[in-house]
Amino acid sequence: MEKAIVLTAGLLDTVDAKTAHGLIRESQRFEIVGIVDSKHAGRDAGEVLDGKFRNIPVYESIEKAKVADPAYCIIGVATTGGRFPDFMLKIVETAIKNQLSIVNGLHDYLSAREDMVALAETHGVQLLDIRKPKAFKDLHFWTGEILNLRTPVIAVMGTDCALGKRTTTRLLIKSCENAGLQAQMIYTGQTGWLQGGKYGFIFDSTLNDFVSGELEHAILTCDKETNPDLIFIEGQSALRNPSGPCGAEFLLSGAAKNVILVHSPKREFFDMEEHFGRIPTLESEIELVKMYGSNVIALAINTENCTKEEYLSFQESYQKRFGIPVLLPIQQGCDPIIDVLKSLLK
């Protein structure tokens, strides 16, 4: 794997840096050798993220991060609307001048900026805008073939954005591996690709007419090439988040008859914006999923703003209320759901 640093520029400890968070936890496409974030310089990135040392130093600047000998600089933030923060563009210019190729997962393409293209050409580096849509000729339309699929498909969905759906999915894969189950993940965002995902597509860069087809194609290709016991779909947004409702495609076009629902007990409003509206109750979300013909087989708790005592209390109360496994993926892993997953194979 090529060595890469990840640029967060003061946002490492915020939800905007979820791309960086995923790469800090795991990457099978790049070797992450450092984070550039002046606010947290001198610390270990894992300790900033969740208190776990991962031997990924945080550097004050691009120049200081060069000691790690990276070949790439990955943009580690996912901003609202996918726009490039103005203050970050200057740092990107510095990275290019230091002979680093840029891997950009934002909708705001660097290759559409003439000054950046010229600078990259001058310094002999690449601008890789990984969120660019596929060419029309490479897109797939939904065929219905997936309705004959026998492999169980489980969608990892959430009651809001930025709850850890991708992280939960990857931890589910690990628990399956430990239990002797062959599980695969369908990535649906740029971070999933950056982490090394082989099967999937970038949902929000795909023409709407082809979202269902790309999802079906990814699942069927994965099933044909790997013959897995289980297939997990990484969810996006939420069924009722008004800024970008998403999820019906996984249940209908992706034939996911089972759902693991990620929830943050202390988050009141969509995107933490009061004017976006209040997040509906878990009871109503579970019922909505059921109306699509699927079942919520487990909950996963995002513990933001919770003390240990609080999140353990939420776990206990949810288990009593809903009678299904309630996971704490970061704190406890996903092993408690293995028996439920095995029952899907019968």
Side-chain angles (χ1 to χ4, degrees):
M1 294 188 292
E2 293 275 13
K3 291 182 179 180
I5 54 174
V6 181
L7 176 62
T8 55
L11 299 174
L12 179 58
D13 60 349
T14 72
V15 294
D16 282 344
K18 63 181 183 179
T19 295
H21 297 167
L23 292 170
I24 291 166
R25 289 193 171 105
E26 182 181 14
S27 177
Q28 297 171 356
R29 192 176 299 277
F30 296 96
E31 179 187 353
I32 306 303
V33 295
I35 307 294
V36 177
D37 191 297
S38 59
K39 180 179 175 182
H40 300 282
R43 300 180 64 188
D44 178 81
E47 290 180 334
V48 175
L49 176 58
D50 55 19
K52 297 179 181 179
F53 183 83
R54 290 183 170 85
N55 196 31
I56 301 176
V58 182
Y59 295 100
E60 182 180 3
S61 64
I62 295 291
E63 292 88 346
K64 291 189 176 180
K66 284 285 287 182
V67 69
D69 194 29
Y72 292 89
C73 176
I74 300 171
I75 306 305
V77 299
T79 58
T80 300
R83 292 184 175 87
F84 237 112
D86 288 340
F87 71 89
M88 194 175 281
L89 287 170
K90 287 293 183 184
I91 307 175
V92 171
E93 289 178 3
T94 299
I96 293 171
K97 291 174 182 177
N98 278 270
Q99 283 75 52
L100 296 177
S101 289
I102 310 298
V103 183
N104 172 35
L106 296 172
H107 286 300
D108 194 348
Y109 306 142
L110 290 174
S111 58
R113 296 172 180 265
E114 293 182 5
D115 56 337
M116 288 291 183
V117 171
L119 191 64
E121 289 177 353
T122 297
H123 293 279
V125 299
Q126 295 177 289
L127 301 178
L128 304 173
D129 290 314
I130 62 173
R131 223 164 172 172
K132 275 189 171 181
K134 283 184 176 181
F136 177 77
K137 64 181 178 61
D138 296 325
L139 292 168
H140 300 84
F141 196 78
W142 195 79
T143 67
E145 184 183 347
I146 197 167
L147 299 179
N148 299 317
L149 181 69
R150 299 183 64 85
T151 304
V153 178
I154 303 104
V156 182
M157 299 171 62
T159 54
D160 194 20
C161 298
L163 289 180
K165 295 181 283 286
R166 184 195 65 257
T167 297
T168 298
T169 306
R170 298 193 76 91
L171 291 171
L172 283 162
I173 298 289
K174 287 185 177 180
S175 286
C176 286
E177 290 174 354
N178 293 337
L181 296 174
Q182 211 269 80
Q184 292 288 341
M185 169 181 163
I186 304 300
Y187 72 84
T188 55
Q190 71 275 10
T191 307
W193 181 87
L194 284 167
Q195 287 182 301
K198 184 176 180 181
Y199 300 100
F201 69 113
I202 299 180
F203 189 105
D204 61 12
S205 293
T206 302
L207 283 170
N208 189 61
D209 277 358
F210 297 96
V211 165
S212 295
E214 286 296 293
L215 177 62
E216 179 190 49
H217 176 73
I219 294 171
L220 292 177
T221 302
C222 174
D223 187 68
K224 180 180 179 180
E225 294 184 359
T226 69
N227 190 30
D229 295 311
L230 301 161
I231 294 175
F232 292 96
I233 303 174
E234 171 205 4
Q236 293 293 327
S237 188
L239 280 168
R240 289 185 277 184
N241 183 314
S243 72
C246 178
E249 300 88 345
F250 307 133
L251 306 179
L252 301 176
S253 310
K257 297 304 178 186
N258 297 283
V259 171
I260 296 169
L261 188 62
V262 187
H263 180 65
S264 174
K266 286 198 165 184
R267 192 183 294 195
E268 294 184 65
F269 306 103
F270 287 116
D271 285 336
M272 293 176 279
E273 297 281 356
E274 187 171 354
H275 66 286
F276 279 16
R278 193 175 295 274
I279 296 172
T281 65
L282 276 172
E283 283 85 355
S284 69
E285 196 76 1
I286 291 171
E287 185 61 28
L288 179 58
V289 170
K290 188 175 294 185
M291 292 175 71
Y292 277 104
S294 302
N295 292 307
V296 175
I297 59 173
L299 299 173
I301 296 177
N302 177 311
T303 61
E304 62 184 2
N305 301 318
C306 292
T307 65
K308 182 177 181 179
E309 183 180 53
E310 286 173 329
Y311 66 66
L312 290 175
S313 176
F314 281 122
Q315 182 185 40
E316 182 180 4
S317 66
Y318 289 164
Q319 285 175 167
K320 289 179 179 178
R321 278 166 59 186
F322 301 107
I324 55 179
V326 179
L327 308 174
L328 290 164
I330 298 296
Q331 294 79 12
Q332 299 176 353
C334 296
D335 291 355
I337 198 179
I338 290 299
D339 286 344
V340 174
L341 296 176
K342 286 181 177 179
S343 73
L344 302 179
L345 306 180
K346 297 178 181 178

